Amino acid sequence: MLRRTVNCGEARESHVGQEVVLNGWVNSYRDHGGLIFIDLRDRNGLTQLVFDREDGALQSVLDGADKLRNEDCIAVKGKVRVRIGGENPKLATGKVEVVVMHLDVLNKTENPPFLPDDMLALPNEDLRLKYRYLDLRRPKMQSILGTRSRALKVARDYFHGEGFLEVETPILYKSTPEGAREFLVPVRNVPGTFYALPQSPQLFKQILMVSGADRYMQICRCFRDEDPRADRQPEFTQIDLEMSFVRREHIMETMEGFIKYFWKQMLGLDIPTIQRMTFRDAMENYGIDRPDTRYDLRIKDISEFAAKLDFKVFQDKLALGADRPAFNSKRGVVKCMRVPGGAEKLTRKITDGYTEFVKRFGAGGVAVVKVIKGEDGNAKLDTGIAKFLEPVKADFMAASGAQIGDTILFFADTYAIATKAAGELRQQVARDMGLVPKPGAEGGPWNFLWVIDFPMFERNKETGKWVAMHHPFTAPRDDQRDLFVNADVDDEVAIESIVSAGYDIVLNGSEIAGGSVRIHDKDVQSKVFKLLGLTPESAKEKFSFLLEALSYGAPPHAGIAFGFDRLIMHICGTDNIRDVIAFPKTQIGQDLMTRAPSTVPEKQLTDLHVKSTWDAVAHAAAQAAAQAANNAPPPKA
């Protein structure tokens, strides 16, 4: 094989007259009768090749070139010359071309299911994932792989410069209740036992702090057996970090330094000081703990005004949990969202669809009113619940901030449901109104935000039990420690009011990092376990090594983890995490290229002392019965 001397993206005028060897794939083929032009591609770019008898090409070389087709893998030797016919300004190599004297066909291709050309329409994602090796040949995908590789180096450079030790932690792990469902690995040598794949290195990085590592970092793989979505995968990459002898301010300062360094190195941009917002303010104004602040749709609590209305729906909801304090999840509220310009843009069909949208989050529906200009030039309330508001129009306009041309959307339910529904719908309304900025050439605009002062605990919607909002190793905020220690575990209002020392970094409505000050007090950790329903025996069984470690002079420590894949999504200007992972899974967790997951031989299961309860025949029969029932004709009268 001819050994490459120049990459396909490197040829320049300085190479004119030189003999070079290039390797790559045929990107395009053009026969101009006596002249054959081929664009040769590798990960670095394109170079135009010319096969020209008059310039000395042998007949055998011309014959070989005539048989080339897209995606054939070749090596060529030739001489660089100034491009005949003028420069191609779209290519970095557009001023030159290579006149080929020798051709070596390294591998002919089968007819590809699609061409890896960014100028062509992309095939559906399933086809791209099945033939991922072809999809990755696309220049855009090669650029993303290069960006990801460079980002890994930038992250390491920063944290190594800040004195962090890079330490690898185990992949085969002890099963622990940290929140998400785990992937389990049966152990052949100890029948009936299992490893778990780590959801994160949380326990080990705390152990490293007890061990005196002081500053730890790791770019690690994490695993969660949960339903995938556009920005989530069952296996993903974190930049995992922990620091000793720090409080919240110290770690936030160091991590903000990383954000500024990362964006400067990757995009050449200066990021200003990152603003802070409390969890409570985020929920009150945006209905979500990761608000997208690029657009200014605000949610407003108008319960005090709504209490005066003669509207039964509002009155019934406000009666819920009326004896509970403000912001309590079960207290009834009425909230509204003002949509400037919505009276014209949000049609009846769209707003009717909003009722179905919020039902997914437990809400009963969305009340609507439009503010239009009346015949007298003043504001007039129209559609929806206008008749209930018209008698108190002035008070309504003042309470909601409504202006002529607006649509006002109302949410009446418990605080938890109304807030969730409003926050989710806010994002949909922003899309419908065209308020979400499209990424620019460098992916921006960039709206970073620290969200702080999270509640320590929340109720699980399915079980009703307390769960840790971050994870069970998150400490209460310094001024909340005594409140937590002295709180009765059966006092729901008191427990819900405890504020943690947790913090998230949000970028354009996406959580890119989350962390907290950790519990280094054995007694506090034991009480958290008790509140989460772990008996002393079960806590000892699952976390004995951590509890023991905390009793041997554990230092105060805190940490954070950046979602590395999400960072790359933002840098590359995509909203699909599968675009920035070389070999991702589908939305249902399948690898279409390798056809994983797959069944395994019965002997392998026997060796592992595992038996599958899955009955494929029974499942197929149940599916067939359901299909038959759905297709059955209606009963006769």
Side-chain angles (χ1 to χ4, degrees):
M1 186 189 82
L2 297 171
R3 184 175 180 179
R4 178 167 53 189
T5 61
V6 173
N7 291 320
C8 291
E10 291 179 343
R12 298 291 189 274
E13 287 180 293
S14 60
H15 293 96
V16 169
Q18 296 181 22
E19 188 174 81
V20 297
V21 175
L22 297 93
N23 301 162
W25 288 268
V26 174
N27 192 69
S28 65
Y29 172 94
R30 305 182 299 281
D31 187 345
H32 286 199
L35 283 175
I36 295 175
F37 293 94
I38 283 176
D39 286 338
L40 190 67
R41 183 192 74 246
D42 64 14
R43 83 173 198 203
N44 299 283
L46 296 173
T47 293
Q48 178 170 283
L49 308 180
V50 182
F51 295 81
D52 185 353
R53 185 192 306 277
E54 294 184 5
D55 238 317
L58 299 176
Q59 185 61 44
S60 60
V61 173
L62 290 170
D63 290 344
D66 191 46
K67 297 174 183 177
L68 293 176
R69 293 299 179 264
N70 287 29
E71 299 314 305
D72 284 344
C73 185
I74 66 174
V76 297
K77 179 191 289 185
K79 189 171 288 186
V80 181
R81 74 181 182 190
V82 174
R83 188 169 176 134
I84 305 298
E87 174 186 356
N88 181 352
K90 295 181 180 179
L91 296 179
T93 60
K95 292 184 178 181
V96 298
E97 58 192 10
V98 175
V99 181
V100 178
M101 303 299 179
H102 182 88
L103 167 66
D104 190 356
V105 179
L106 304 176
N107 208 330
K108 294 288 292 181
T109 183
E110 298 289 340
N111 186 34
F114 60 90
L115 293 177
D117 189 335
D118 288 331
M119 302 304 292
L120 302 175
L122 287 177
N124 68 69
E125 188 177 58
D126 281 358
L127 192 63
R128 289 171 53 205
L129 293 180
K130 181 178 180 180
Y131 298 96
R132 188 61 163 179
Y133 40 83
L134 293 179
D135 190 46
L136 288 175
R137 289 184 191 174
R138 288 192 294 123
K140 180 177 179 180
M141 296 304 294
Q142 289 291 316
S143 175
I144 288 173
L145 290 179
T147 297
R148 189 179 177 106
S149 177
R150 186 158 58 94
L152 290 168
K153 181 180 184 302
V154 168
R156 284 191 166 97
D157 286 347
Y158 176 81
F159 289 113
H160 288 178
E162 292 290 319
F164 285 76
L165 297 179
E166 187 164 1
V167 184
E168 296 88 2
T169 54
I171 293 295
L172 296 176
Y173 205 63
K174 179 181 175 65
S175 177
T176 56
E178 291 185 42
R181 188 182 294 111
E182 300 167 314
F183 288 101
L184 298 177
V185 181
V187 181
R188 177 178 57 85
N189 292 327
V190 188
T193 65
F194 297 83
Y195 290 115
L197 301 182
Q199 299 178 39
S200 77
Q202 181 62 46
L203 299 180
F204 282 103
K205 66 186 193 178
Q206 290 192 249
I207 295 292
L208 283 168
M209 295 303 100
V210 179
S211 304
D214 194 76
R215 291 188 171 202
Y216 143 91
M217 71 86 60
Q218 182 183 190
I219 297 174
C220 55
R221 300 292 280 176
C222 302
F223 307 87
R224 293 180 184 171
D225 185 11
E226 55 189 354
D227 296 332
R229 61 187 186 199
D231 64 347
R232 179 185 288 169
Q233 282 275 286
E235 55 178 317
F236 55 96
T237 303
Q238 281 185 182
I239 306 175
D240 202 51
L241 304 144
E242 199 80 9
M243 301 170 69
S244 288
F245 305 109
V246 294
R247 302 312 288 162
R248 186 169 76 176
E249 288 301 317
H250 305 135
I251 196 165
M252 290 175 68
E253 178 182 333
T254 303
M255 299 310 149
E256 188 163 329
F258 168 64
I259 289 289
K260 293 180 178 181
Y261 178 84
F262 190 80
W263 252 254
K264 184 68 173 179
Q265 295 297 313
M266 296 300 296
L267 297 177
L269 298 176
D270 293 313
I271 300 299
T273 299
I274 300 178
Q275 300 300 306
R276 300 185 182 192
M277 182 182 295
T278 66
F279 170 85
R280 183 61 58 208
D281 285 343
M283 298 304 290
E284 281 296 284
N285 293 315
Y286 302 100
I288 196 167
D289 60 3
R290 47 177 176 81
D292 189 339
T293 56
R294 291 175 297 173
Y295 48 89
D296 196 36
L297 289 178
R298 299 286 183 115
I299 297 163
K300 193 170 184 180
D301 191 320
I302 57 168
S303 298
E304 186 176 344
F305 163 77
K308 303 173 184 176
L309 287 177
D310 184 20
F311 184 41
K312 189 175 186 302
V313 173
F314 285 0
Q315 299 305 322
D316 288 348
K317 296 301 182 183
L318 288 171
L320 298 172
D323 58 334
R324 291 174 175 261
F327 312 128
N328 184 274
S329 60
K330 296 182 180 180
R331 183 183 175 93
V333 296
V334 177
K335 298 194 171 193
C336 75
M337 179 166 54
R338 173 185 168 234
V339 186
E344 180 179 353
K345 289 189 176 181
L346 298 181
T347 64
R348 174 70 178 271
K349 181 179 180 180
I350 292 174
T351 56
D352 284 350
Y354 289 163
T355 286
E356 295 304 312
F357 181 90
V358 299
K359 284 181 179 179
R360 291 185 285 172
F361 309 104
V366 178
V368 181
V369 69
K370 292 187 176 183
V371 185
I372 61 176
K373 183 183 288 187
E375 294 181 0
D376 59 359
N378 294 319
K380 177 184 176 183
L381 305 184
D382 187 38
T383 72
I385 61 170
K387 65 179 182 180
F388 298 100
L389 297 171
E390 189 65 38
V392 289
K393 180 169 62 178
D395 290 342
F396 162 68
M397 300 286 282
S400 64
Q403 303 288 328
I404 292 175
D406 295 346
T407 287
I408 309 297
L409 306 174
F410 299 87
F411 311 87
D413 216 301
T414 62
Y415 180 88
I417 292 176
T419 302
K420 175 70 173 177
E424 295 293 340
L425 185 59
R426 174 181 178 269
Q427 298 171 84
Q428 182 60 48
V429 170
R431 291 188 286 270
D432 292 340
M433 293 293 294
L435 300 177
V436 182
K438 293 183 179 179
E442 294 175 323
W446 307 106
N447 279 41
F448 289 93
L449 184 68
W450 280 107
V451 179
I452 59 174
D453 294 347
F454 288 82
M456 273 192 75
F457 306 100
E458 61 183 343
R459 289 285 191 185
N460 182 288
K461 295 177 182 176
E462 297 177 0
T463 66
K465 296 181 179 179
W466 289 113
V467 293
M469 183 168 279
H470 268 82
H471 54 62
F473 317 106
T474 297
R477 198 175 63 191
D478 287 346
D479 63 339
Q480 299 277 300
R481 182 192 179 281
D482 291 342
L483 290 174
F484 173 64
V485 170
N486 296 321
D488 186 331
V489 294
D490 295 322
D491 188 340
E492 180 175 342
V493 173
I495 295 301
E496 193 176 56
S497 69
I498 301 296
V499 177
S500 79
Y503 35 79
D504 287 352
I505 303 177
V506 176
L507 172 57
N508 296 349
S510 169
E511 179 194 330
I512 60 170
S516 67
V517 176
R518 317 305 190 191
I519 297 170
H520 68 284
D521 182 320
K522 183 180 177 181
D523 293 336
V524 174
Q525 186 67 76
S526 296
K527 180 159 185 177
V528 169
F529 288 155
K530 180 180 180 181
L531 184 66
L532 298 181
L534 291 174
T535 64
E537 293 74 24
S538 61
K540 185 176 181 180
E541 177 188 352
K542 295 179 181 298
F543 299 108
S544 60
F545 61 97
L546 177 63
L547 294 174
E548 288 170 2
L550 292 177
S551 70
Y552 287 102
H557 56 285
I560 196 168
F562 286 87
F564 183 72
D565 307 301
R566 291 186 186 178
L567 285 177
I568 304 304
M569 283 172 57
H570 285 288
I571 291 289
C572 293
T574 178
D575 59 2
N576 187 339
I577 201 169
R578 294 182 293 279
D579 286 343
V580 300
I581 297 173
F583 301 105
K585 306 291 190 293
T586 65
Q587 283 276 32
I588 59 172
Q590 290 181 308
D591 180 340
L592 299 180
M593 186 183 73
T594 66
R595 296 176 175 84
S598 61
T599 58
V600 297
E602 190 67 31
K603 183 180 184 306
Q604 194 170 353
L605 293 178
T606 301
D607 290 344
L608 292 170
H609 311 283
V610 171
K611 183 176 179 61
S612 173
T613 61
W614 172 251
D615 188 332
V617 175
H619 177 72
Q623 281 192 316
Q627 181 68 26
N630 289 335
N631 293 333
K636 293 182 179 180

